[in-house]
Amino acid sequence: MGLDSYVNTFGVQCKLRYGQRLKKLTIDAKFTCPNRDGTLGRGGCTFCNVESFSHEHGTIDSIGVQLAKGRERSQAKSSKFIAYFQAYTSTYDEYQVLKEKYDQAIEDDDIVGLCVGTRPDCVPDEVIALLVSYQQRGLEVWLELGLQTANDDTLKRINRGHGFADYQDTVKRARGAGIKVCTHLILGLPGETHADFLHTHQAVLEAGVDGLKLHPLHVVDGSTMAKAWRAGRLPLLSLEDYAYSASELIRYTPKEIIFHRVTAYAKKPVLLAPSWCGYRWNGLVAIEDNLKQQGGQGHYLLEHKVKA
C-alpha cells in the first residue's frame, strides 16, 4: 500500500496542491555555522564530520548550476521543484547576502517553493520577514529547524550551542508571521531512551509545528561521535528499535502535521554505523510494516478520543 497510506507525507500534500510530487533540489550556498566559525565554538556538533571544516566547502557550483544538476538527477519525475538550502546554517549571514542567494534560487518558473534549513538560534525577525515576502509571492515556503532534541542536557552533550528555549522563541515568531515550520528530530542521541523521544515529540507539538523530519542517529567518519563509537562507548539503535520508536511518534502525531521524512540514510565510506542506515529502503519498509500492524498517524489520538 505504501507509506502514504499511513502517514500524511509531504509528497501527498504536494500532489493535492500541485498535482505532482515536488522534488527538493538541495543547494550548498557556502553558508557557515556559529558553532564552527568561532562565534559559539569551532568543534561543531558531535555528530558532524568536522574534518571537512578545515576545507570549508571546496569548489562548488553556482546556485544556478546546482539547480540544473538537480533537475537532471530527478530524471523528469517532476516538472516543478523546491529550492532547498540544506547545507549548514542557511540563515546565518547578512540580510542582503541571504536575499541575493534566495533570489537566485527562485529565478526560474519551475521553482515553486523555498525551504531554508537552519538552527533555532539563527533566525532574526528580519529573516522571518524576508521569508514572508517570498510566501506573499505565492511560493511554498518552509523554515526547517534542526532541533534534534528538546532535552537541554543532551543538547549540551552534543555541543549544539543552543537550548530548547531558543527553538520555542523562533517557532513562536515564525508561525506567528505565517511561516510553516518543519522540525528535525534525531532518535538515538547519546543517553536518550524511547521515553526521551516521546518527551521531545510532545514538547515540539506543544510549541507548535507544521512538519516533522525524523532521523536515526548514525555515525559518520570524522565526527567526534566516531571516536566514541570506535571505543565502544556509543550504543546505536537497531533497525527494529528505530522503526518502533519512529512509528510510535507517528501514531502520537495529529493528522494535519506533515512528515517530510521518517528516516534517513548515508553512504559508505562516510557512514560507519549502523549498517542498516546504508540502505534507503530499510527504515522505510520497517516503519511501514509497523504502521500497518499497529496503526498509522494519529492512531493513538483517535483511540483516545473514541475511548473518551
Side-chain angles (χ1 to χ4, degrees):
M1 295 177 65
L3 191 68
D4 292 345
S5 301
Y6 309 102
V7 181
N8 180 19
T9 65
F10 186 66
V12 166
Q13 292 302 313
C14 289
K15 276 190 171 183
L16 291 174
R17 181 172 179 182
Y18 300 97
Q20 61 180 275
R21 293 178 182 269
L22 301 182
K23 173 72 174 179
K24 288 185 180 181
L25 304 180
T26 59
I27 298 169
D28 183 345
K30 297 184 179 180
F31 292 115
T32 183
C33 172
N35 206 16
R36 56 172 284 190
D37 70 358
T39 302
L40 292 175
R42 294 192 179 277
C45 303
T46 59
F47 52 78
C48 289
N49 182 339
V50 296
E51 290 181 354
S52 64
F53 290 0
S54 61
H55 304 292
E56 291 303 318
H57 300 257
T59 302
I60 63 173
D61 295 320
S62 67
I63 289 175
V65 171
Q66 289 183 61
L67 291 173
K69 289 183 176 180
R71 291 184 182 91
E72 292 177 4
R73 288 192 297 270
S74 74
Q75 299 177 337
K77 292 181 180 179
S78 303
S79 61
K80 297 177 181 178
F81 304 92
I82 290 181
Y84 181 20
F85 286 86
Q86 182 184 38
Y88 301 102
T89 306
S90 298
T91 58
Y92 186 58
D93 213 323
E94 299 293 333
Y95 174 90
Q96 194 58 40
V97 173
L98 295 176
K99 187 176 186 305
E100 289 175 0
K101 291 183 177 182
Y102 297 166
D103 284 348
Q104 290 175 37
I106 62 169
E107 285 181 348
D108 296 327
D109 292 338
D110 61 354
I111 302 294
V112 298
L114 177 67
C115 284
V116 178
T118 189
R119 294 164 53 93
D121 57 340
C122 292
V123 191
D125 288 340
E126 63 179 5
V127 171
I128 291 176
L130 178 58
L131 296 178
V132 169
S133 72
Y134 293 116
Q135 189 162 271
Q136 291 173 339
R137 291 161 60 176
L139 288 170
E140 175 88 14
V141 177
W142 284 86
L143 178 65
E144 299 207 11
L145 297 178
L147 172 63
Q148 320 312 351
T149 176
N151 188 321
D152 282 336
D153 289 338
T154 303
L155 289 171
K156 184 176 181 179
R157 186 179 299 121
I158 63 176
N159 198 38
R160 283 293 290 177
H162 67 75
F164 184 60
D166 295 303
Y167 169 82
Q168 291 172 304
D169 173 67
T170 295
V171 168
K172 182 178 180 180
R173 290 183 293 110
R175 297 185 81 237
I179 295 299
K180 295 189 290 292
V181 171
C182 176
T183 301
H184 295 217
L185 304 178
I186 295 179
L187 308 188
L189 289 169
E192 293 206 341
T193 65
H194 179 72
D196 294 304
F197 311 156
L198 292 175
H199 168 75
T200 287
H201 179 258
Q202 183 60 37
V204 166
L205 293 182
E206 290 176 356
V209 71
D210 305 283
L212 290 170
K213 275 189 177 180
L214 305 181
H215 305 257
L217 177 67
H218 54 269
V219 181
V220 295
D221 195 23
S223 66
T224 301
M225 281 189 182
K227 300 176 183 178
W229 175 77
R230 288 191 173 101
R233 294 185 282 106
L234 182 62
L236 298 171
L237 292 179
S238 66
L239 173 58
E240 294 74 19
D241 286 342
Y242 177 77
Y244 169 75
S245 289
S247 298
E248 287 285 279
L249 265 58
I250 291 169
R251 282 188 280 273
Y252 277 113
T253 303
K255 288 191 174 183
E256 65 270 17
I257 292 176
I258 301 169
F259 278 89
H260 291 232
R261 180 180 292 166
V262 297
T263 188
Y265 71 103
K267 296 180 179 179
K268 295 182 178 181
V270 174
L271 174 69
L272 297 180
S275 60
W276 66 265
C277 283
Y279 303 92
R280 177 182 181 184
W281 297 106
N282 284 349
L284 289 173
V285 171
I287 290 171
E288 182 183 333
D289 287 345
N290 185 290
L291 296 174
K292 183 178 181 180
Q293 295 172 18
Q294 304 296 327
Q297 183 171 345
H299 175 74
Y300 286 151
L301 303 177
L302 177 61
E303 186 180 63
H304 176 76
K305 183 177 180 180
V306 170
K307 288 181 179 179

